[in-house]
Structure formats: structure tokens, C-alpha cells
Amino acid sequence: MATVKFRDCTTVLAVTATILWSPLGSDSKDVTVSNVQPKLDIHGNIVNAHDGTYRYFEGYYWYHGAEYGLCNEPAKRGCDQTPGRDGPPYPAPGHCGFQADHNVSIYRSKDLTSGSWEFMGRAVHCATDVPNCGILYRPHLVHNPNTNLYVLFVNFVSKTHSYGGNAVFTAPTPAGPFTLKNKQMNLSRLCPGPAIPDGQPCGAAQGGCGDYDVLVDPRDGAAYIIYGCNFWMSIERLTDDYYNSAGENASIMNGAFNGNVFPEYFTEAPAFFIRNNIFYALFGHCCCFCFQGSGIMVYTAHNPMGPWTAQCSDVVNNTGCLSPSGDLACIESNDAVFSPHAEPTPNQGCNYKGRSQVSALRAQQNFVITIERAGGDNEYLWTGDRWQQAPDGIKGHEGQTWALLDFDSMGRITPVRWHDNVTFHV
């Protein structure tokens, strides 16, 4: 998302989404979730978790999300780093969203509804559990069928303000306890990093690595990571234990850098899922806590390693997407005033390249929940973080938009729109 590699797309920090399997039993039902009201726990408190993954394990939907603390949102733009009473230097109390007190919160729910979320504790603390962690973002949990362990990936910024990539933890259950297995993954584009030590030059698509998503192929248990680095997005296969990259890069039609990197620039917040044997990679332009939200560009493939082809892109010719943004969510105007104080961040998200647009979903993409239904008629629930829109102005209380994805007869995702309420079957 910026030069110091903070969560700021104005320089270099790249800042996800996956699959949730929900067996449909005899007690299945339709549920409705509000996009207008905040998500509450079983005690009536606002759920303090953001980014992250929703997955179905052991009879519950488990949400592993980033806890951002209870500081006040910046007065205007979400990435404003106003000095606090003790700063600068960074991070200071005024730098809301850029603190060392970020944790990975664990919640679970039987049916995803507000009021049903039970707080199960914290999986990881930035200050004590992630080596050299200055800020923690976008945790992702998957189950590894090869080891029968739950694997938690945690993205972090180091104490010296460089992007640290991902640390990896494992646990015997979704609730933990989590044990550190790898303090820094060897992603091929993290520079400097385990694959590119200090002193070696970084390539044009290498540098600080941020937002990502991890997909486990249900057909064979192999895992893949889609991640952003130096504003570019790519996919790599993981080792069998999921602790590292296997060093194999996916191929992209019309891709950059010898066809191994998606051609769109200034991107983050990827989502990665499979539907009807088609793999989907979704991402948008960088949106550093930006109020206006970001778009949804789409690539598809029949294998996680590609070749990936564009459905919606702002650099590859395509049909069925919105103009001029080349995605599925950015629109010219929004009927609702969805924040009383925030203002758009220029040239980020839906305002990339000087546009004056907003996300129809009022959010930046986070994760796609796959809800498995009887007969294979699964539902795919898009989730996005609504930066600068907390009901009480508290960063930790910023909510999310949820929206069902619709697909045409060829498997293409249709434009996505805001609804005050979303109803789905669990």
C-alpha cells in the first residue's frame, strides 16, 4: 500500500478470501444478515475482528480475524497517520490502524448471524507471538488434510517498518493452541526475505509483500497462495506442510514478468476459491483503509497453476464488466451517504487513476465464503471491510458488507451490488 511499506498504497505496502465448507443437514435454514447493523457477539458487543477467514469446521463457522483495538478512526482518510501524544516516531497512539496491539481474534457461530458469535480467545498476539512484529494484518486459517493440522498464516509489518511477509502457526483445533512453525515464509517475491537475502537486489515485482489468500484444492489437498508484493499479484504452490512456498509460479495469460504475474498494477486484497471445478482469483486496486472502497477484478482457471485468463480487468480487454473501471463493483455514484465524516482517498480503490467513483458495496474485498449445499448448488458469499464507517467512530468496530455472488451460464461473476440485507442458506 506506500515507501515505508506500511498499510498505505501510496507507496509499497500490499495489503484476501477463501473457502468455507458447510455441510447441509436436516436442520438447515435460511438466515438473513444485515449490512446496515454491526455484527454482534452473544453478549451484544460489536465483533472486533476484520480481514480474515470464515470456514466451517467441527459444526461451527470459525472466524479468525484481525483485532484492531479501540482507537478512534482518523478524522478524514483511513490511512492518515496523525501524530499521537507520544509520536512520531511510528507507531504512535494517533496512528489508528497501525498499532502493535493487533491480535488474531477467534470467533465461532452456528449460522453466521449477528448475535450468535462466540468469542473463543486470541490465536496470536503481535507483541508476543510473532517474531519482530510491529503490526499484524489479515490472518488466514486453513485445514491441512496431509497433517490433520489447522494452519494459520499471519501477515505482519516488522518493528523496523519493513514488510515481513507471513508467519505460519499450527494447532490441533481451530481454537488452538497455536504454535509457531515458520517465522517468515520464503515467498519468491518477498525482498529482502528468505528467498532473497539482504544485499541482493530486488526485482521490479519484488519487495514488501502484504495481502494474500490461501486455497486448499479439495481434489488433492495441495495448497496455493495468491499474494501481493510491490503492488503486483501472483500465485505460488505451497509445500505439503503449507509452511513455505514450493517455488512454483502460476502462469497468467497476458501476464507481466514472463507471464507469472497478473498484469494489473497497484493491487491488493485478493480472494481465492473454487466453484464447479473453476478456480477464481479476485482482487482490486490498493485501498489503504479507504472510505470509498475498491473494485473486483476477476481471473479464472481450471488449475490453480493456470493458465489464468481475465474475466474483468482494467488492462485486458473483456466484456460484461463495468466501465471505465474494468471491474464488477466501482460505480459513478452511490445513493446513500454511508459515513458522516470520512472522505475518499485520491487515486486509491475505486478512485484509481484519478477516477471519482465508489464501491457499490461500500467496502474493500476481504474473503469469499463458500457455503456448501445439498446437490452441489453452493452459495458464495462475498465479504468486504467497510473502512471509516464504524457506527461509533472506533476502528475496532468497523464492519463488513456481505453479498451473494451470482454467476452466468458460463461461470462468469456478474456485477455485484449493495443490499441492506443478504439472505442465504446454511
Side-chain angles (χ1 to χ4, degrees):
M1 296 188 260
T3 306
V4 283
K5 298 191 175 92
F6 299 152
R7 189 188 177 94
D8 179 359
C9 286
T10 58
T11 48
V12 179
L13 192 92
V15 180
T16 134
T18 332
I19 300 178
L20 174 149
W21 302 103
S22 172
L24 190 65
S26 58
D27 58 348
S28 62
K29 59 183 178 180
D30 286 328
V31 299
T32 298
V33 172
S34 172
N35 284 322
V36 179
Q37 300 299 323
K39 180 166 52 188
L40 304 179
D41 67 14
I42 58 175
H43 301 294
N45 302 310
I46 296 176
V47 171
N48 186 354
H50 313 79
D51 320 331
T53 55
Y54 300 84
R55 299 185 186 276
Y56 190 88
F57 300 119
E58 302 178 356
Y60 289 91
Y61 296 88
W62 292 83
Y63 180 28
H64 292 72
E67 178 183 343
Y68 282 159
L70 301 179
C71 53
N72 293 320
E73 294 174 325
K76 294 182 179 180
R77 298 171 184 171
C79 240
D80 287 349
Q81 296 180 23
T82 54
R85 63 181 182 277
D86 298 325
Y90 171 96
H95 296 157
C96 192
F98 299 89
Q99 298 291 330
D101 62 354
H102 292 187
N103 305 304
V104 179
S105 295
I106 307 174
Y107 290 85
R108 70 178 186 180
S109 166
K110 286 285 190 180
D111 59 11
L112 298 170
T113 59
S114 182
S116 70
W117 292 97
E118 179 183 5
F119 179 65
M120 301 298 294
R122 296 179 176 90
V124 171
H125 299 76
C126 175
T128 59
D129 300 326
V130 181
N132 196 30
C133 181
I135 314 170
L136 174 157
Y137 294 118
R138 290 189 175 263
H140 284 257
L141 184 83
V142 298
H143 178 258
N144 186 339
N146 303 311
T147 61
N148 199 30
L149 292 172
Y150 294 89
V151 184
L152 178 68
F153 303 84
V154 178
N155 187 235
F156 69 97
V157 176
S158 75
K159 293 178 180 178
T160 58
H161 312 159
S162 62
Y163 228 80
N166 299 316
V168 184
F169 299 77
T170 63
T173 74
F178 285 90
T179 301
L180 180 67
K181 293 297 184 180
N182 186 355
K183 65 181 182 180
Q184 190 177 45
M185 294 180 71
N186 65 338
L187 299 174
S188 65
R189 296 195 296 121
L190 176 62
C191 184
I196 309 171
D198 282 315
Q200 293 190 21
C202 300
Q206 296 172 328
C209 298
D211 286 3
Y212 66 100
D213 192 10
V214 176
L215 178 143
V216 176
D217 190 336
R219 303 172 302 183
D220 58 11
Y224 304 83
I225 185 169
I226 179 172
Y227 71 98
C229 196
N230 205 24
F231 302 126
W232 300 94
M233 196 71 60
S234 68
I235 294 172
E236 296 179 20
R237 190 175 69 83
L238 300 184
T239 54
D240 289 345
D241 57 15
Y242 303 177
Y243 299 168
N244 268 308
S245 169
E248 300 173 16
N249 294 278
S251 63
I252 294 100
M253 296 289 292
N254 301 305
F257 303 99
N258 298 315
N260 295 132
V261 175
F262 291 96
E264 295 75 18
Y265 182 63
F266 201 61
T267 57
E268 65 182 9
F272 204 8
F273 65 96
I274 180 175
R275 173 185 181 269
N276 294 346
N277 292 316
I278 298 176
F279 293 87
Y280 292 80
L282 284 58
F283 48 82
H285 288 298
C286 291
C287 170
C288 182
F289 293 141
C290 76
F291 155 74
Q292 69 266 28
S294 193
I296 305 171
M297 290 179 279
V298 182
Y299 276 76
T300 61
H302 291 284
N303 186 296
M305 294 300 288
W308 290 86
T309 59
Q311 179 202 319
C312 281
S313 164
D314 68 342
V315 299
V316 179
N317 291 331
N318 51 75
T319 60
C321 302
L322 303 176
S323 180
S325 59
D327 68 80
L328 297 175
C330 293
I331 59 175
E332 293 297 330
S333 64
N334 199 318
D335 293 336
V337 177
F338 49 95
S339 178
H341 64 269
E343 64 180 37
T345 303
N347 295 310
Q348 291 198 18
C350 288
N351 285 351
Y352 183 58
K353 291 186 176 179
R355 293 194 298 267
S356 180
Q357 295 185 305
V358 297
S359 165
L361 297 160
R362 313 175 191 179
Q364 180 186 26
Q365 178 171 273
N366 168 48
F367 183 82
V368 174
I369 306 170
T370 302
I371 304 176
E372 189 173 275
R373 299 187 60 182
D377 187 19
N378 299 341
E379 292 185 300
Y380 299 83
L381 191 61
W382 184 94
T383 69
D385 290 299
R386 297 183 61 187
W387 308 127
Q388 290 291 97
Q389 300 171 57
D392 55 4
I394 299 298
K395 185 70 178 178
H397 293 167
E398 290 174 332
Q400 291 187 333
T401 297
W402 289 10
L404 283 174
L405 295 180
D406 290 322
F407 301 81
D408 67 16
S409 60
M410 298 179 63
R412 295 173 299 192
I413 302 174
T414 62
V416 190
R417 290 291 179 265
W418 167 274
H419 295 283
D420 287 351
N421 299 289
V422 57
T423 299
F424 48 91
H425 206 77
V426 296

